[in-house]
Amino acid sequence: LGLLSFRAERWTVRNPFSFRIDKQTGDGWQEIYNGDATVRVGRAFLNHVKVPLGDASIKQLRFTVTSPPNTGILIDDIRITPARPQKIAGVQVVPFTLPALVGAHASPLVKLKITTTGILNPISLTGVTATLDSTADQSPIESVYVSPRPGGLSVTSDTAVDASDWKVRSTKSIKASLKLAEGENIVWVNCRLKKDSNIDQRIGAAVSQVTFSNRAVSCQVVPPSMQRLGVAVRNGGDDGVHTYRIPGLATTNKGTLIGVYDARRRGGGDLPGDIDVGKSRSTDGGRTWEPMKVIMDMGDDPAWRYDGIGDPAVLVDKTTGTIWVAATWSHGNRSWRGSGPGLKPEETG
């Protein structure tokens, strides 16, 4: 009895692909894990595979992979740990720096590292008690929730707690329901900011207690990580665009902020693709922004890979006041690997 765990890295998205683990108990081989769809492509061992071994008669384990030539799976940190009751080994508040953004789905407020040992009778995180801090007397927070990821997730009525009445330097209990894994668990207290929040202030929260399904643990109260506020000028899905990336920002001679970025219409991938350059403009120091304008669009013919243009840079000539924006145009596959010698659009980027 125990747990098989390892880190895995798939090297290609091409098919055919399969990844299986079988056990041998003396009665032949039996599959115990199918990673065909769950092991993802990506560096830094994105996949942390955990396979329960609920059979004391296992004699051997067999790993098999089917993949195109010169590809496969890289496996690291493989271990088999005995089955022991899960225990909380430590709770730590981790300092971090990540701005809280007005207009984002959610922003991180507190980062917790919860360390456990054992896999039997898993423990769940059920709540966090925190005290709000701010450089202003008025709280900018609309709602809070606990998640294994820092912000980015949609806040729903099922997971979010109304925090519009959470006063500065007052304490609130935030409910959670997260099952803990063996080892290190990173947990975030996320918040959604009010639309009229003053971005000149900073916010943070100090955690005094973490509650689990079996007991409560008091934390050593440390000064909170005070985060700057900002504005999420573009979110994925705005104006029907899948992803916004590669921002550039400049200030004109009149003090206007000009932001430029990729508007990746169909997906998050790089050039070539259906990508235009968008521009956002603010005349009040970034507090509010005008609707996006597309300032570079080289075409949308699928035969030329939508004539994508991206990776913009913006420059203000302080002498003349001229605002320049430069970007890479990919007529067909001319962005990176497709570029060749020559200067014509059909030859190079």
Side-chain angles (χ1 to χ4, degrees):
L1 297 177
L3 179 74
L4 167 69
S5 64
F6 55 88
R7 298 281 180 175
E9 199 176 294
R10 180 177 168 183
W11 285 1
T12 180
V13 295
R14 290 182 289 141
N15 289 317
F17 176 81
S18 68
F19 176 53
R20 310 292 174 86
I21 301 175
D22 303 316
K23 67 178 181 180
Q24 170 65 269
T25 61
D27 296 326
W29 291 98
Q30 181 182 349
E31 183 180 301
I32 59 173
Y33 176 76
N34 183 331
D36 296 3
T38 56
V39 175
R40 298 172 294 155
V41 174
R43 298 178 181 178
F45 297 100
L46 284 177
N47 312 275
H48 192 188
V49 179
K50 298 180 180 181
V51 183
L53 302 176
D55 189 345
S57 62
I58 296 177
K59 301 180 183 299
Q60 292 177 298
L61 294 174
R62 180 176 67 185
F63 292 69
T64 58
V65 60
T66 301
S67 191
N70 301 316
T71 67
I73 286 185
L74 185 63
I75 291 176
D76 193 21
D77 195 22
I78 186 168
R79 63 182 66 186
I80 297 177
T81 54
R84 297 172 296 179
Q86 191 169 87
K87 295 181 180 179
I88 303 297
V91 178
Q92 179 184 357
V93 178
V94 182
F96 72 99
T97 301
L98 201 59
L101 300 180
V102 177
H105 295 300
S107 297
L109 190 62
V110 179
K111 181 180 181 180
L112 292 170
K113 182 171 73 174
I114 303 170
T115 307
T116 70
T117 59
I119 61 172
L120 294 180
N121 305 319
I123 299 169
S124 294
L125 172 68
T126 59
V128 174
T129 301
T131 301
L132 178 64
D133 197 1
S134 173
T135 55
D137 293 332
Q138 188 71 23
S139 167
I141 295 176
E142 178 181 289
S143 57
V144 289
Y145 73 106
V146 178
S147 165
R149 294 179 58 189
L153 300 179
S154 297
V155 179
T156 68
S157 58
D158 297 330
T159 58
V161 176
D162 183 4
S164 57
D165 62 345
W166 195 5
K167 293 180 172 54
V168 177
R169 285 171 285 281
S170 65
T171 301
K172 179 176 284 290
S173 295
I174 307 162
K175 293 183 179 180
S177 181
L178 295 176
K179 186 177 290 186
L180 302 175
E182 184 182 30
E184 289 187 359
N185 298 262
I186 300 297
V187 176
W188 299 81
V189 177
N190 294 302
C191 67
R192 173 175 281 180
L193 300 182
K194 299 173 183 176
K195 293 181 180 179
D196 59 351
S197 297
N198 179 5
I199 63 173
D200 291 332
Q201 66 177 302
R202 298 191 183 195
I203 60 169
V207 172
S208 57
Q209 181 173 283
V210 179
T211 306
F212 301 99
S213 52
N214 61 344
R215 64 188 178 103
V217 175
S218 296
C219 298
Q220 179 182 359
V221 179
V222 297
S225 298
M226 300 296 289
Q227 310 303 329
R228 293 179 181 272
L229 267 63
V231 175
V233 179
R234 297 273 89 190
N235 289 302
D238 289 352
D239 293 321
V241 174
H242 183 279
T243 299
Y244 295 93
R245 285 201 63 198
I246 324 297
L249 184 66
T251 305
T252 71
N253 290 349
K254 295 182 179 180
T256 299
L257 292 177
I258 301 293
V260 296
Y261 40 80
D262 281 10
R264 302 188 174 190
R265 298 191 176 278
R266 296 170 183 263
D270 295 328
L271 291 167
D274 190 0
I275 301 174
D276 301 325
V277 173
K279 181 202 78 171
S280 291
R281 181 174 181 270
S282 173
T283 59
D284 58 4
R287 288 168 174 79
T288 61
W289 293 79
E290 297 174 0
M292 176 183 70
K293 290 185 177 180
V294 174
I295 60 171
M296 291 184 178
D297 181 353
M298 303 303 290
D300 57 5
D301 188 345
W304 291 107
R305 304 289 284 272
Y306 302 100
D307 269 304
I309 183 167
D311 293 2
V314 58
L315 175 70
V316 175
D317 186 327
K318 295 294 184 180
T319 302
T320 66
T322 303
I323 304 166
W324 299 91
V325 180
T328 299
W329 172 30
S330 182
H331 183 53
N333 184 17
R334 303 290 181 265
S335 55
W336 299 107
R337 293 183 178 87
S339 279
L343 298 176
K344 296 178 181 179
E346 292 82 5
E347 296 170 332
T348 192

